[in-house]
Amino acid sequence: MNFTLKIWRQKDAKSKGAFETYKVENISADTSFLEMLDILNNDLVHQGKEPVAFDHDCREGICGMCSLHIDGQAHGPSKGATTCQIYMRKFKDGATITIEPWRSAAFPVIKDLVVNRSAYDQILQAGGFISVRTNSVPDANAIPIPKKDADESMDAAACIGCGACAATCKNGSAMLFVAARVSSLAKLPQGRVEATRRAKAMVAKMDELGFGNCTNTGACQAECPKQISITHIARLNREFLSAKFKD
Amino acid sequence: MSCFLSNSSLGKKLVMSVTGCFLVLFILFHMSMNVTAIISPEGYNAICEFLGANWYALAGTVVLAAGVLIHFIYAIILTLRNYKARGSQRYAVTVQEEGVAWASKNMLVLGFIVLAGLLLHLFNFWSKMQLVEIMGQHTNSLGYSPADGAALIRYTFSQWYYVVIYLVWFAALWFHLTHGVWSMFQSVGWANDTWYPRLKCIANIVATIIFLGFAAVVLVYFFCPCIAGAC
Amino acid sequence: MALKLDAKIPAGPLAEKWSNHKAAIKVVSPANKRKLDIIIVGTGLGGASAAASLGELGYNVKVFCIQDSPRRAHSIAAQGGINAAKNYQNDNDSVYRLFYDTIKGGDYRAREANVYRLAEVSNLIIDQCVAQGVPFAREYGGLLANRSFGGAQVSRTFYARGQTGQQLLLGAYAALNKEIAAGSVKSYPRHEMLDIVIEDGEARGIIARNLVTGEIERHGAHAVVIATGGYGNVFFLSTNAMASNGSAAFQCYRKGAGFANPCFTQIHPTCIPVHGDQQSKLTLMSESLRNDGRIWVPKKLEDVKAIRSGAKKPSDIAEEDRDYYLERRYPAFGNLVPRDVASRAAKERCDAGYGVNETGLAVFLDFKTAIERLGKETIKQRYGNLFDMYEEITDVNPYEQPMQIFPAVHYTMGGIWVDYNLMTTIPGLYAIGEANFSDHGANRLGASALMQGLADGYFVLPYTIGDYLSHKIQAPKVKTDTKAFDEAEKGVREKIARLLSINGKQSVDDIHKKLGHIMWENVGMARTKESLQKAITEIQALRKEFWKDVKVVGRENDFNVELEKALRLADFLELGELMARDALLREESCGGHFRSEHQTEEGEAKRDDENFAYAAVWEYKGMDQVPEMTKEPLNFEFVHPAQRNYKD
């Protein structure tokens, strides 16, 4: 298969970027999207040009490192998959593919397609944990947790922190990410203890970091590679508002 | 508590939700009132009289205006913030995500259309009814009694361009409500996966009832003014 | 000068060693902890849990990772689960049984005392993780669920769907975040350790490169902990993440730390087969699939041909024409034999010509029987996401046709040598998790890597490091303007400058692929004297080629991925040779190390306990010098090594 790639190139955070066009040829349909970029990069190196910088690591859809806005969609055309899980058979032979970095004020570009997502770390540092010390805990089976609650907690905990939600949201809102963490912990008795404090602290941090406001479009859940539902956003709203009304 | 309603993103959304809810309830009432004009112009005029420049109607008007104003101002604040959060560099290519309603991404534009319609509506009706009474006059610029709403409707919708403009207005309102009604439940946290389809269905029903009610009055008065007692 | 190896294994009965040791070692008072700095490199399960626990204790911790967030470390990709001897299933599990299974699974090449301690703290890990909010799978009664796993006859594996590693890492990462928020831990993401600084024979800090700006930084501390995982990417194609590398561990080795059992590599039996020469990464299918899937190849060669040509579908092969070779060879464990056994059995069938894809390097993993027995819905519930993932990658629907699988490099049991305190041969330098030579001997059982990473980080290192640091309470802050730091930084800068100046014809990946090929062919699943000698010669030649002909584009002070890769490959090119040397010297077959010369008549690994019951610890002597090997004898006081038997 042959493709024309329109890729965003940007030297560093301060420089102005622009699209550049590349051609890749003889790509097998079984090649993954990132392998296709590897092939392009190897060609570029041979030509003495700088390869395209992009984030990636596990290539199994779990580390959350890969990003990319491909033909207008975060993580490309597959539903419930990350960029590293897309295979070239998803594209038409001869297609032109536009590849852009995440675009959100809170995720500034570092280089080419690489962005800085440390804002997500900061939100979690604000309260996305249960304050237990190592070794000062009861037996694992001391508190039974209804299977339904554990499952729901797991649904939310599937978040890989890739940033697709904020990157795809027209408002640049990180609500799905924040909600996934708040909700995952709020569904467990262990997490209930500081649930209200957590919701308030994380929302405050999210606001402080310049993320936008959720307007319930649901674009985040449509593009989430882990298909996390906005039902968790509703739970975050509930947690947050009830906490505020108790203040 | 007052601070989170203006400082926090979720607090601001709560304000949007509550004012939105209030406006929906008002619109439902207004629509029911209008439908009366089809069944009985006299009955309609009786309601108009009841809602003249009395203290309770005036108080209602003030609250209502405040509701619209807050809903509007917060929408502007939220949108400005969202615009900034999106960053200065925009995507070159975007698509409509699967399952994402068009209205949900265009609430501000729809809101502006609704607002413009509202201003026209105030000029067409309110300025010739309640305002006239507030000013202490007994006839409006058209020569009708300010409580003769039916006549005003008949007059306005005898002009085809008003019919078109009002229908566009109602359509924008329909879109705005299909997203707004379920969204207000989401913003206060009264929603979940089981209830999304139900809430969205309720939103569509409410929006459609409102649209049909308002549109019916306009169309009936345009096509068959006789029904409404004009001939 | 051979390495002095003192494993510091405490005396006493097996079950009391750890408690006795904890009672005997020194502790540091809270007031003094505040004065002590610790550097932790790597934020996987080991690094994150250690950083969180040490920060909690009051030490000043600096934690480094190469990814953009600590949460992305490759522990996150572990799918199957984590073992613990809770005996919640009432199937007669115990600390001793977990210890025994692990030491047996490791083919009797691990220390008894370490493995017993691992089994002992395994239960604490589960308690800790549950308290942190890890959503483990539960039964309807609300209590924790377990599943069975390869190499064990009890159900002791705790799991969170197919994402156990992710959930455990998010737990440790959350604990780390708690400490970062509290100010006791400072995080340095997108930083790569390029050298370790040794002064007066003790670890004093690291030289790190800021991967965004290219800046070279000095960081001093009273102790340094290496938690950078394994070096499986020496094979180019492996299930490791793209950036996983052996460089941090290798710098320690270069500076004098012993490197133990480098040849012990785990080849995971259930990966998606290689499809072409442009592949960058192999995908693992969870081992849990072996719970319900049956592995087979056709009995008749004509069926093999028909399948390869597409004339027959796998589902067309009649039951009696299928060779369920694991069930045939190992009736007691069947498809649940340990990974090394399953991998070798697949290779044996493929070598005999029964491989089922065009390359002849694949066997079937079939769910037909399970679907008939349990129904498609149940299978979907259990493995739905894995099946979807398989279909997405291969375009084959595993509900209708069996999956094709083949072994791939997955984990390295070898690593930096550590004593019972997890300290390397360099005082003040520690290694935890997959980075150390670990408790897994010659083969790691499934669901034990997560257990070891968290055991080291939460429950072992925080105690044992105090024993060393208690001698440092008078020591001032480590100065980074010393000669040792100057030299280390200079070395790093020179190396980078040299790489950028070569400007040859081959890209880093070109050479890495060549290395991978040499390694897989000669130091892979089956090794011979000849293949290993060949590997050594070829790697030496390739290393010369690299330093003459590699092309590294871009600048030093920039975000430069090619430079990062080149630095890592330079180390792999030495590490590969070390692995081959170690494998050459170990004239026996054990666990993941299979020397074709040493097998039983039935083709099983033939261990030589008389001559090789030791850990081979290597000491660096220079890039093109032969390293020196010192033996740490393994004394089995409590279990008696026997040939592993998974047949009955």
Side-chain angles (χ1 to χ4, degrees), chain A residues 8 16 19 69 71-73 79 98 100-106 166-172 175 203 206-219 221-223 229-238 240-241 244-245, chain B residues 1 3-5 7-14 77-79 81-101 104-107 179 182-194 196 200:
Chain A
W8 183 262
K16 229 176 123 51
F19 282 103
H69 210 252
D71 280 345
Q73 279 189 288
K79 209 172 158 54
T98 308
E100 300 175 76
W102 283 169
R103 300 248 186 248
S104 172
T168 212
C169 174
K170 77 176 184 69
N171 310 321
M175 278 292 273
V203 168
M206 169 185 85
D207 289 348
E208 180 197 317
L209 291 169
F211 287 101
N213 308 285
C214 175
T215 59
N216 309 328
T217 67
Q221 75 177 358
E223 291 298 327
S229 161
I230 56 169
T231 193
H232 300 293
I233 296 185
R235 185 171 294 116
L236 169 62
N237 291 336
R238 203 152 66 226
F240 177 84
L241 294 175
K244 281 293 179 187
F245 281 112
Chain B
M1 204 182 99
C3 69
F4 89 88
L5 293 177
N7 292 345
S8 149
S9 57
L10 269 59
K12 282 181 256 188
K13 290 294 297 169
L14 174 69
I77 294 172
L78 287 165
T79 307
R81 158 98 186 193
N82 293 345
Y83 188 80
K84 212 174 131 207
R86 202 72 207 82
S88 49
Q89 189 75 46
R90 300 292 156 139
Y91 288 116
V93 184
T94 49
V95 296
Q96 188 73 8
E97 295 86 357
E98 201 185 311
V100 174
S104 72
K105 291 188 139 189
N106 295 283
M107 289 298 275
H179 179 64
W182 82 263
S183 192
M184 68 199 190
F185 289 97
Q186 171 79 356
S187 289
V188 296
W190 290 336
N192 58 36
D193 277 331
T194 319
Y196 288 131
K200 285 183 182 177

Side-chain angles (χ1 to χ4, degrees), chain B residues 39-196:
Chain B
I39 305 158
S40 157
E42 295 74 26
Y44 179 70
N45 283 354
I47 300 173
C48 290
E49 191 141 13
F50 178 69
L51 290 177
N54 311 302
W55 68 268
Y56 47 85
L58 285 176
T61 308
V62 169
V63 172
L64 191 61
V68 173
L69 202 64
I70 294 170
H71 197 74
F72 174 73
I73 290 171
Y74 267 70
I76 299 289
I77 294 172
L78 287 165
T79 307
L80 285 177
R81 158 98 186 193
N82 293 345
Y83 188 80
K84 212 174 131 207
R86 202 72 207 82
S88 49
Q89 189 75 46
R90 300 292 156 139
Y91 288 116
V93 184
T94 49
V95 296
Q96 188 73 8
E97 295 86 357
E98 201 185 311
V100 174
W102 175 84
S104 72
K105 291 188 139 189
N106 295 283
M107 289 298 275
L108 189 78
V109 177
L110 292 167
F112 273 121
I113 299 175
V114 171
L115 188 71
L118 176 67
L119 293 175
L120 178 70
H121 175 65
L122 290 178
F123 165 73
N124 285 156
F125 291 89
W126 180 75
S127 72
K128 297 183 174 62
M129 300 172 74
Q130 197 183 43
L131 183 66
V132 171
E133 287 191 40
I134 293 168
M135 309 290 272
Q137 293 160 355
H138 299 291
T139 55
N140 59 31
S141 55
L142 297 169
Y144 304 127
S145 150
D148 192 358
L152 208 48
I153 296 175
R154 206 176 302 125
Y155 165 75
T156 309
F157 297 116
S158 63
Q159 302 160 79
W160 66 267
Y161 47 88
Y162 274 128
V163 173
V164 173
I165 292 172
Y166 270 69
L167 286 178
V168 169
W169 180 36
F170 298 151
L173 185 63
W174 182 85
F175 275 111
H176 197 83
L177 293 180
T178 52
H179 179 64
V181 169
W182 82 263
S183 192
M184 68 199 190
F185 289 97
Q186 171 79 356
S187 289
V188 296
W190 290 336
N192 58 36
D193 277 331
T194 319
W195 273 86
Y196 288 131

Side-chain angles (χ1 to χ4, degrees), chain A residues 20 28 45 53-54 91 94 113 129 167-168 176 213 224 226 234 236 240-242:
Chain A
E20 279 191 37
S28 139
V45 171
F54 62 93
F91 297 88
L113 303 170
F129 46 77
T168 212
L176 191 63
N213 308 285
C224 173
K226 297 294 151 187
L236 169 62
F240 177 84
L241 294 175
S242 65

Side-chain angles (χ1 to χ4, degrees), chain C residues 29-164:
Chain C
S29 77
N32 285 326
K33 282 187 187 128
R34 280 197 290 276
K35 292 189 259 170
L36 294 167
D37 301 326
I38 300 173
I39 283 175
I40 296 176
V41 187
T43 58
L45 287 181
S49 59
S53 303
L54 291 168
E56 220 171 70
L57 286 171
Y59 294 108
N60 300 308
V61 180
K62 284 183 176 180
V63 63
F64 294 80
C65 68
I66 54 175
Q67 296 87 353
D68 75 334
S69 162
R71 68 181 294 159
R72 313 224 190 269
H74 195 52
S75 302
I76 204 152
Q79 298 168 350
I82 178 166
N83 288 331
K86 282 285 195 186
N87 194 30
Y88 282 161
Q89 302 304 318
N90 196 30
D91 49 7
N92 195 11
D93 197 8
S94 63
V95 168
Y96 186 84
R97 193 177 292 278
L98 175 55
F99 153 74
Y100 180 76
D101 285 348
T102 308
I103 210 144
K104 175 188 173 195
D107 221 354
Y108 303 97
R109 287 295 172 263
R111 274 186 213 139
E112 279 181 331
N114 284 51
V115 178
Y116 194 89
R117 175 176 66 187
L118 177 66
E120 207 177 329
V121 301
S122 67
N123 291 342
L124 299 176
I125 297 172
I126 304 303
D127 299 342
Q128 182 69 26
C129 294
V130 166
Q132 283 171 344
V134 171
F136 282 122
R138 285 176 185 271
E139 290 161 358
Y140 281 104
L143 302 179
L144 291 160
N146 290 108
R147 59 161 66 133
S148 51
F149 237 73
Q153 286 168 311
V154 292
S155 277
R156 62 159 76 98
T157 305
F158 294 80
Y159 61 100
R161 301 217 178 121
Q163 294 135 271
T164 317

Side-chain angles (χ1 to χ4, degrees), chain C residues 78-298:
Chain C
Q79 298 168 350
I82 178 166
N83 288 331
K86 282 285 195 186
N87 194 30
Y88 282 161
Q89 302 304 318
N90 196 30
D91 49 7
N92 195 11
D93 197 8
S94 63
V95 168
Y96 186 84
R97 193 177 292 278
L98 175 55
F99 153 74
Y100 180 76
D101 285 348
T102 308
I103 210 144
K104 175 188 173 195
D107 221 354
Y108 303 97
R109 287 295 172 263
R111 274 186 213 139
E112 279 181 331
N114 284 51
V115 178
Y116 194 89
R117 175 176 66 187
L118 177 66
E120 207 177 329
V121 301
S122 67
N123 291 342
L124 299 176
I125 297 172
I126 304 303
D127 299 342
Q128 182 69 26
C129 294
V130 166
Q132 283 171 344
V134 171
F136 282 122
R138 285 176 185 271
E139 290 161 358
Y140 281 104
L143 302 179
L144 291 160
N146 290 108
R147 59 161 66 133
S148 51
F149 237 73
Q153 286 168 311
V154 292
S155 277
R156 62 159 76 98
T157 305
F158 294 80
Y159 61 100
R161 301 217 178 121
Q163 294 135 271
T164 317
Q166 181 201 25
Q167 293 312 312
L168 296 177
L169 184 62
L170 292 183
Y173 164 70
L176 179 62
N177 279 336
K178 170 170 73 79
E179 293 308 307
I180 292 173
S184 56
V185 177
K186 191 160 168 26
S187 164
Y188 293 84
R190 291 201 199 266
H191 275 68
E192 181 158 16
M193 167 185 147
L194 293 183
D195 206 358
I196 174 97
V197 182
I198 314 286
E199 218 168 17
D200 304 328
E202 293 178 342
R204 285 288 153 79
I206 63 166
I207 304 292
R209 182 168 178 269
N210 178 328
L211 299 181
V212 176
T213 63
E215 233 170 294
I216 306 293
E217 301 171 0
R218 302 175 179 197
H219 296 274
H222 298 96
V224 176
V225 181
I226 303 295
T228 52
Y231 46 88
N233 270 344
V234 69
F235 289 84
F236 187 69
L237 286 180
S238 81
T239 65
N240 286 185
M242 298 296 285
S244 296
N245 67 82
S247 285
F250 201 78
Q251 306 319 317
C252 299
Y253 168 62
R254 208 192 299 273
K255 285 283 175 88
F259 203 102
N261 299 334
C263 79
F264 287 167
T265 315
Q266 178 163 83
I267 316 277
H268 197 292
T270 53
C271 299
I272 297 178
V274 179
H275 62 67
D277 58 356
Q278 295 197 308
Q279 211 170 339
S280 313
K281 167 80 186 7
L282 295 177
T283 308
L284 178 78
M285 299 304 292
S286 170
E287 179 163 346
S288 63
L289 291 169
R290 286 203 275 148
N291 273 324
D292 289 308
R294 299 175 72 195
I295 295 174
W296 63 278
V297 291

